[in-house]
Amino acid sequence: MAKKDYYEVLGVGKSASKDEIKSAYRKLALKYHPDRNKGDKASEEKFKEASEAYHVLSDNKRKANYDQFGHAAFQGGQGGGFQGFEDFDFSSSFSDIFDDFFGDFMGGSSGGRGRRSSNRYTKGNDLRYDLTINLEDAFKGLDKNIQFTNYKKCSTCSGSGAEPGSKPAKCDYCRGSGKIRSSQGFFTLQQTCPQCNGYGEYINKPCKPCSGNGKIQTQEKLSVKIPKGVDDGTRIRLSGKGEAGIRGGSAGDLYLFISVDEHEIFKRSNEHLLIDLPVSTTDAILGASIELPSIDGKKILLKIPAGTQHGKQFRIKGKGMPLIRKNIFGDLYVRIITEVPVSLNKRQKEIMEEFRSLEKENDSPLLSSFFKKVSKFLKS
């Protein structure tokens, strides 16, 4: 029985592009896949027929021979004597299509069998540096010199790992693909080549200064800029300041993790600051003007009105922390902590007794209201 035209099998014209040929085969391979049509010999034959057609038309050289000689191009002793399909691996052909389906999702690149592993130009590792600063530095921002251990690109081999003047050799175990395939039934499993670790090549003349690693350990010094307003736990990314990549891959990043020490006066809540201000009983009763420090180093005069209660908060706008990279500031909240005097002398006690005798019910409205409620509760 004469073989069907390969273009007819795939349902494409002779001018079809590689992508169109691949797309046509992809649809047929899924439709007639033996696992989806168990025991259906007709579907199995159509699958093999489509795979054979794709094997030829997906390769420029084989396609050109087919366009010139037809099926005779692949029959031994005819039309130039090209190799036939007695040993054609249909499962491997479908595996290539399977790779095309899932390669992009797994971080691979298109190109079918023999393609380079993505490990070949692996990005370098990211690094972490923990930096502790005080609240004043977080308010003002600062330039900080840091030192850390890093792996930089070897200057002798420019990161290739190979001795100058030499080149890495193609791995003969995986034939440069970086992957090894093994068949289990109809399907083909793929794993990283154990000889070249997925690079598709190996270095037979390693660079001496870096021992073939392509990078050298160094103590790196770096000046970093900490912006105004950073908070405890802020993370700053310095692109390309991490470890050098493998065999010419891009460098990783350096991450600064900021810790801000607790302050002895100010407490922080996001962009706002809080001060607990101790006030004497007499100042709370009579009122006072108290000078306070500000995080910017200036002084603030706070007027406390007469009769200020314990726990009362005063808000001073714009005297908190700056927002990162914005000309906006939080507020300063001053919370009054009324302190009752201890260890009174005789005269002080006499004055306080006299004051108590002069107190009126409306002098302490909260106290009076509370005891009215207590009295009502006890009578019920």
Side-chain angles (χ1 to χ4, degrees):
M1 183 177 176
K3 281 190 176 184
K4 290 177 65 176
D5 179 81
Y6 286 149
Y7 292 103
E8 184 181 341
V9 169
L10 296 182
V12 298
K14 284 191 175 184
S15 61
S17 66
K18 273 195 171 185
D19 286 341
E20 290 172 332
I21 291 171
K22 182 186 292 184
S23 178
Y25 173 59
R26 188 181 279 140
K27 293 176 182 177
L28 292 173
L30 289 177
K31 181 178 180 180
Y32 296 115
H33 189 284
D35 279 359
R36 301 182 67 178
N37 303 274
K38 292 186 182 296
D40 187 340
K41 293 294 183 181
S43 292
E44 183 178 343
E45 287 302 317
K46 287 183 178 180
F47 175 78
K48 289 182 178 181
E49 190 177 53
S51 295
E52 181 179 317
Y54 176 72
H55 176 72
V56 171
L57 300 182
S58 63
D59 181 85
N60 290 336
K61 185 176 180 180
R62 288 193 291 265
K63 183 177 183 295
N65 288 328
Y66 178 73
D67 288 344
Q68 184 175 0
F69 300 106
H71 291 297
F74 307 101
Q75 296 172 359
Q78 300 181 40
F82 296 104
Q83 182 180 353
F85 289 97
E86 292 80 3
D87 299 320
F88 177 60
D89 185 358
F90 294 99
S91 65
S92 177
S93 180
F94 183 74
S95 178
D96 289 337
I97 295 297
F98 195 82
D99 286 345
D100 291 335
F101 270 121
F102 299 104
D104 291 340
F105 296 101
M106 300 300 293
S109 57
S110 62
R113 302 179 71 181
R115 61 190 170 207
R116 296 297 189 193
S117 166
S118 60
N119 286 343
R120 187 179 181 191
Y121 302 110
T122 305
K123 182 181 177 181
N125 292 327
D126 294 333
L127 297 179
R128 170 176 178 151
Y129 188 93
D130 295 320
L131 180 63
T132 300
I133 62 176
N134 59 39
L135 189 62
E136 288 89 343
D137 288 336
F139 175 80
K140 297 179 294 184
L142 76 155
D143 293 322
K144 183 75 174 178
N145 293 321
I146 63 174
Q147 183 172 330
F148 58 98
T149 300
N150 198 359
Y151 285 86
K152 304 299 289 183
K153 182 186 294 185
C154 176
S155 58
T156 302
C157 66
S158 298
S160 70
E163 187 177 282
S166 67
K167 293 182 178 180
K170 180 180 178 181
C171 177
D172 54 3
Y173 191 71
C174 65
R175 298 181 181 179
S177 69
K179 300 173 183 177
I180 298 298
R181 292 183 175 187
S182 58
S183 297
Q184 289 190 3
F186 181 79
F187 288 99
T188 300
L189 299 180
Q190 185 171 270
Q191 61 184 6
T192 301
C193 174
Q195 180 165 297
C196 66
N197 295 319
Y199 293 116
E201 57 190 23
Y202 66 93
I203 299 172
N204 50 17
K205 291 183 179 181
C207 171
K208 292 180 181 178
C210 67
S211 301
N213 292 320
K215 48 188 179 181
I216 296 178
Q217 187 180 57
T218 62
Q219 286 298 313
E220 186 169 1
K221 294 181 180 180
L222 193 64
S223 178
V224 296
K225 188 174 186 65
I226 309 301
K228 299 176 182 179
V230 293
D231 203 348
D232 194 67
T234 295
R235 187 182 71 170
I236 299 174
R237 173 174 171 260
L238 301 175
S239 180
K241 296 300 182 181
E243 287 189 12
I246 298 175
R247 301 191 183 183
S250 60
D253 301 326
L254 173 65
Y255 289 89
L256 299 180
F257 283 78
I258 306 298
S259 295
V260 181
D261 281 336
E262 291 187 5
H263 198 274
E264 59 182 355
I265 297 176
F266 300 99
K267 294 179 182 178
R268 182 174 183 177
S269 176
N270 297 324
E271 71 272 25
H272 303 304
L273 294 176
L274 171 69
I275 289 181
D276 283 336
L277 177 62
V279 174
S280 68
T281 304
T282 52
D283 282 344
I285 294 172
L286 302 175
S289 292
I290 299 177
E291 199 173 68
L292 297 175
S294 174
I295 190 64
D296 59 9
K298 298 178 182 179
K299 294 178 181 179
I300 301 170
L301 187 64
L302 177 66
K303 291 185 178 181
I304 300 175
T308 295
Q309 300 297 309
H310 176 84
K312 169 72 176 178
Q313 278 194 353
F314 295 92
R315 176 189 175 200
I316 304 174
K317 294 186 65 175
K319 285 298 183 179
M321 298 293 291
L323 273 67
I324 296 179
R325 298 183 179 88
K326 293 182 181 178
N327 192 28
I328 301 174
F329 289 80
D331 302 325
L332 172 64
Y333 290 87
V334 182
R335 183 168 58 191
I336 300 301
I337 306 297
T338 305
E339 186 174 29
V340 177
V342 296
S343 303
L344 298 178
N345 59 34
K346 183 179 178 181
R347 178 57 182 153
Q348 288 174 317
K349 289 180 180 180
E350 290 174 351
I351 293 173
M352 292 306 296
E353 289 290 350
E354 183 180 355
F355 177 79
R356 181 159 59 182
S357 67
L358 295 173
E359 276 188 293
K360 299 177 183 178
E361 188 174 300
N362 58 3
D363 290 340
S364 304
L366 291 177
L367 187 65
S368 176
S369 174
F370 174 76
F371 280 109
K372 282 181 180 179
K373 292 176 183 177
V374 171
S375 176
K376 184 178 178 181
F377 173 76
L378 291 176
K379 289 179 181 179
S380 61

